[in-house]
Amino acid sequence: ENQTFYGFEYQNRNSSYFGRIIYNYNQKYLFQALMRVDGSSRFGTNNRWGVFWAVSAGWILSDEAFFTPNNVLSFMKIKGSYGTTGNDRVGNFASLGLSQGGSDYNGQPGLAASQAANPDLQWEESSQFDIGFESNWFKNRVRLNTSFYIKNTDGLLLDFQLPFTSGFTNITRNAGSMKNTGVDLELGGTVVRRGDFSWDLDLNVGFLNNEVTELPDATEDEDGNGFLIGSANQRAVVGRS
């Protein structure tokens, strides 16, 4: 009796180098800078490495001489940051030209190309700006924190359909942009504090607006919106979430 066995093993590699500077002046003025270089085996040989950085600052307003201690506002910190990050969430072989067996011809075993190569495939990059504050109230019994952010992403990792005459169905490319804006709120406090026992309660809520702002080579629908169908389960529309 003939038996057929299949086995698969997939691997990918990431390598990173980073440095960070932290500065704290008089316990009131806080600064941090970070730079990192990331490499991923998932990308093309032309763009395997990405450079990303971030800076942040904070000001503890409640430690200033002009702040009058009181029983209402116990602590106030204003903070802000800006930085870039990369995304490599694609298939392990998305940048490679692939072939597969089973394409027999005239009784002879054969191989056929199954995926087009894209050696220029690179990191999807996001830049984000955050500003917000942290505060404690009523002798640190209540916490109220909030932050507002704007995140722009360029070089979206998307699947593009190819003409059937190419011999392939689709290819992964960097194309398009997306914008996220949102607000995060956190309200918490110590409900019970007796001796060594305390019970804290926290509530978190976030509001997000997500919009695709650009799709090169997109097709227009009846409303004039550009859209892209990359695969059976992927569809992006300009101006929509």
Side-chain angles (χ1 to χ4, degrees), residues 42-47 93-97 115-122 157-158 171-174:
R42 290 173 168 169
F43 293 125
T45 54
N46 299 339
N47 296 288
F93 315 112
S95 67
L96 301 177
Q115 177 176 287
N118 182 5
D120 294 322
L121 190 67
Q122 60 183 324
L157 292 167
L158 298 173
I171 189 172
T172 303
R173 287 175 46 192
N174 294 96

Side-chain angles (χ1 to χ4, degrees), residues 106-159:
N106 196 27
Q108 300 297 318
L111 296 174
S114 59
Q115 177 176 287
N118 182 5
D120 294 322
L121 190 67
Q122 60 183 324
W123 290 85
E124 176 184 292
E125 184 170 333
S126 298
S127 59
Q128 182 166 327
F129 168 75
D130 292 80
I131 190 169
F133 69 85
E134 300 176 9
S135 62
N136 295 347
W137 301 76
F138 308 114
K139 297 183 179 181
N140 297 315
R141 293 294 295 267
V142 177
R143 299 179 300 275
L144 177 61
N145 304 327
T146 184
S147 64
F148 169 77
Y149 62 88
I150 301 174
K151 180 180 180 181
N152 292 295
T153 302
D154 297 308
L156 293 174
L157 292 167
L158 298 173
D159 291 332

Side-chain angles (χ1 to χ4, degrees), residues 2 15 20 27 30-31 36 57 68 80 101 109-110 122 124 131 133 168 174-175 179 182 189 199 206 211 229:
N2 293 328
S15 182
R20 183 173 62 172
Q27 301 298 315
L30 315 174
F31 175 80
R36 60 183 297 149
T68 303
Q122 60 183 324
E124 176 184 292
I131 190 169
F133 69 85
F168 305 100
N174 294 96
K179 181 178 181 179
W199 175 29
E211 180 183 357
I229 300 178

Side-chain angles (χ1 to χ4, degrees), residues 16-34:
S16 299
Y17 306 90
F18 70 92
R20 183 173 62 172
I21 298 174
I22 300 176
Y23 181 70
N24 183 336
Y25 178 72
N26 204 25
Q27 301 298 315
K28 292 187 295 187
Y29 310 107
L30 315 174
F31 175 80
Q32 181 171 284
L34 171 71

Side-chain angles (χ1 to χ4, degrees), residues 69-225:
N70 58 83
N71 293 329
V72 179
L73 181 59
S74 310
F75 173 83
M76 172 65 74
K77 175 184 176 182
I78 300 174
K79 59 183 181 179
S81 65
Y82 181 85
T84 62
T85 57
N87 172 32
D88 69 342
R89 299 298 94 184
V90 292
N92 291 336
F93 315 112
S95 67
L96 301 177
L98 302 180
S99 300
Q100 66 181 11
S103 300
D104 300 347
Y105 179 75
N106 196 27
Q108 300 297 318
L111 296 174
S114 59
Q115 177 176 287
N118 182 5
D120 294 322
L121 190 67
Q122 60 183 324
W123 290 85
E124 176 184 292
E125 184 170 333
S126 298
S127 59
Q128 182 166 327
F129 168 75
D130 292 80
I131 190 169
F133 69 85
E134 300 176 9
S135 62
N136 295 347
W137 301 76
F138 308 114
K139 297 183 179 181
N140 297 315
R141 293 294 295 267
V142 177
R143 299 179 300 275
L144 177 61
N145 304 327
T146 184
S147 64
F148 169 77
Y149 62 88
I150 301 174
K151 180 180 180 181
N152 292 295
T153 302
D154 297 308
L156 293 174
L157 292 167
L158 298 173
D159 291 332
F160 277 74
Q161 288 185 336
L162 294 175
F164 291 123
T165 53
S166 69
F168 305 100
T169 56
N170 56 59
I171 189 172
T172 303
R173 287 175 46 192
N174 294 96
S177 302
M178 182 171 60
K179 181 178 181 179
N180 295 326
T181 56
V183 177
D184 291 327
L185 301 173
E186 179 187 355
L187 177 62
T190 304
V191 180
V192 177
R193 182 188 296 164
R194 292 183 179 178
D196 295 333
F197 175 79
S198 65
W199 175 29
D200 289 1
L201 185 65
D202 289 279
L203 173 66
N204 296 278
V205 61
F207 303 92
L208 169 66
N209 180 56
N210 172 276
E211 180 183 357
V212 177
T213 56
E214 182 185 4
L215 280 178
D217 303 325
T219 304
E220 289 193 358
D221 60 17
E222 63 275 8
D223 298 322
N225 298 313

